[in-house]
Amino acid sequence: MEGRELSDIEVANLLICMQQNMLTILQGRPGVGKTSTAINVATALGIYNPIGSGPSLDFLNVPVARGWTGSRDLLGFYNGLRGTFQASKTGLYEFLINGEDVKDSASVRVVLLDEANLSPIEHYWSDFIGLTDKEGRDRPIDTGAHGLDRYIYPAKYNSLRFIATINNDSTTENLSPRLLSRAPVISMDNVKVASEGYLGGHLIEMEGALSLSALEAMFGRTAEYGDNGYGGDLYEELQKVIDTGLNISPSLRESLLLEGRKQQSIIKYLDVAGSIMVENKAQAQDFALAQFVLPHLRGEGEKVRQALSAMADQAKSNNLERSAQILERILNDGDSYLNSYSFL
């Protein structure tokens, strides 16, 4: 498709991230293909027709504006003077209402938050943060309205997904650790990394939109691939790269110490990705380190620089090319900013 070209393995990685997480973040410089990638994925899944007329029932493109402060900007608010819920002009409220019925959850439903960090995501997206955990999926969003329309259940059938595109410059907001613990960050700046290898998988007949059940069976947390037990072993090998940095600079513990939700997300990802990228499992580890761990990086001083340099060297020796590139970029940027190092 027109726009950013992705290899088979990059597409598989994107689909795994989307299926296993309510929010997937695409990060990179302007023009690298973040928005076109999101639109192309929706088109390929059969949930969006770029030359069609009228809004799609299963894909919504929301341009985020500077100055959004809360959910009323994204979703809407209850207008007490009129006694009704006043939906935002983004169209998200209507989109969610249309997807509440079981029959409408046959395919995945995707919301694109374009230029998402022009405003703080954790503020305007706050209604959805609690829905990212499995135990919170049935949690309703309270619109404040009276009567039967007060509560909506956007994640009840596990069909809703968000893709957020972000840039890093003086006009954008930082992502909070609370948000990063719930979303992989796919760097689109890595354009010269080889992504070849055999992809294991099943051929399916596709007629119309690819069903949510098919996506879950192939890429989700309960995917058939996940029964091979790759995740734990691949995670232990990945932890050695992280420990290299922690041993040199213990101050990075706040950034690199993986617990609870983040650890389980990585293992679930590696369970599936390690089974799909069967020819070179290091690529699965590379994606996991680059998307789930390195976005948390933040530190200052010479010890941090030494730690990141050692991690970059180990990543190279383990064929973790994406992660090595990201670490080198962090080092180069940090050297220009008085030894202050961060992913974003």
Side-chain angles (χ1 to χ4, degrees):
M1 294 181 175
E2 294 182 4
R4 172 69 176 266
E5 289 188 11
L6 300 179
S7 67
D8 293 350
I9 284 179
E10 287 176 304
V11 173
N13 169 68
L14 179 56
L15 291 172
I16 296 169
C17 289
M18 284 179 57
Q19 190 58 33
Q20 294 191 1
N21 303 272
M22 176 174 281
L23 174 64
T24 299
I25 299 172
L26 305 182
Q27 173 268 337
R29 300 183 304 274
V32 297
K34 303 182 297 294
T35 301
S36 64
T37 293
I39 292 174
N40 286 345
V41 166
T43 304
L45 292 175
I47 60 174
Y48 175 63
N49 180 4
I51 60 175
S53 60
S56 169
L57 291 177
D58 293 318
F59 179 73
L60 180 66
N61 189 342
V62 177
V64 175
R66 182 75 170 170
W68 283 9
T69 58
S71 62
R72 65 183 292 154
D73 297 300
L74 177 64
L75 195 61
F77 67 100
Y78 178 69
N79 189 326
L81 295 177
R82 295 184 177 181
T84 60
F85 183 81
Q86 187 167 323
S88 166
K89 66 179 182 179
T90 63
L92 181 59
Y93 177 75
E94 294 85 353
F95 183 83
L96 297 180
I97 292 296
N98 289 337
E100 279 203 306
D101 295 336
V102 177
K103 64 178 183 298
D104 289 330
S105 66
S107 59
V108 67
R109 312 186 74 239
V110 176
V111 178
L112 169 61
L113 300 175
D114 205 13
E115 305 290 351
N117 64 334
L118 281 177
S119 295
I121 303 176
E122 65 271 18
H123 291 177
Y124 68 79
W125 202 68
S126 59
D127 282 332
F128 298 91
I129 287 181
L131 307 180
T132 57
D133 300 321
K134 182 179 179 181
E135 58 272 18
R137 190 174 296 162
D138 292 336
R139 184 182 305 173
I141 290 178
D142 188 349
T143 66
H146 297 296
L148 298 176
D149 297 331
R150 177 166 182 170
Y151 298 100
I152 55 177
Y153 296 82
K156 187 175 183 180
Y157 302 109
N158 193 31
S159 61
L160 181 64
R161 298 293 184 275
F162 288 84
I163 300 177
T165 67
I166 66 170
N167 292 309
N168 302 334
D169 58 38
S170 59
T171 68
T172 60
E173 303 286 343
N174 290 327
L175 305 187
S176 69
R178 181 171 64 131
L179 187 73
L180 287 173
S181 70
R182 292 168 164 86
V185 180
I186 300 176
S187 177
M188 304 291 285
D189 288 332
N190 297 37
V191 295
K192 296 182 179 180
V193 178
S195 301
E196 299 177 355
Y198 171 72
L199 291 180
H202 304 294
L203 293 177
I204 63 169
E205 294 295 330
M206 185 172 174
E207 182 178 352
L210 189 59
S211 71
L212 182 65
S213 58
L215 284 171
E216 180 64 24
M218 291 186 288
F219 305 116
R221 289 176 176 254
T222 60
E224 299 170 9
Y225 294 121
D227 295 332
N228 295 314
Y230 287 124
D233 293 338
L234 293 177
Y235 177 82
E236 288 182 8
E237 295 177 23
L238 198 63
Q239 185 65 49
K240 295 176 183 177
V241 180
I242 299 170
D243 289 341
T244 296
L246 291 176
N247 291 336
I248 296 174
S249 178
S251 65
L252 286 173
R253 287 179 62 85
E254 185 176 344
S255 298
L256 297 179
L257 189 62
L258 305 177
E259 296 179 342
R261 178 189 297 109
K262 180 60 67 172
Q263 188 179 97
Q264 289 304 311
S265 294
I266 295 174
I267 291 174
K268 288 292 185 182
Y269 172 86
L270 289 171
D271 272 339
V272 178
S275 302
I276 292 176
M277 304 172 193
V278 291
E279 192 172 277
N280 187 355
K281 293 185 177 62
Q283 290 183 325
Q285 293 174 300
D286 195 10
F287 279 122
L289 181 61
Q291 296 165 178
F292 291 96
V293 181
L294 298 187
H296 290 266
L297 267 177
R298 183 169 292 142
E300 298 178 351
E302 182 58 28
K303 280 290 186 182
V304 170
R305 190 191 191 288
Q306 294 174 12
L308 300 184
S309 180
M311 290 176 65
D313 290 340
Q314 188 169 353
K316 288 180 185 176
S317 65
N318 290 345
N319 296 318
L320 308 181
E321 298 181 41
R322 285 179 179 78
S323 299
Q325 281 191 17
I326 291 172
L327 286 163
E328 288 174 351
R329 188 259 298 169
I330 293 173
L331 283 165
N332 291 333
D333 290 348
D335 290 343
S336 302
Y337 291 100
L338 302 176
N339 284 11
S340 179
Y341 303 95
S342 66
F343 178 90
L344 297 170

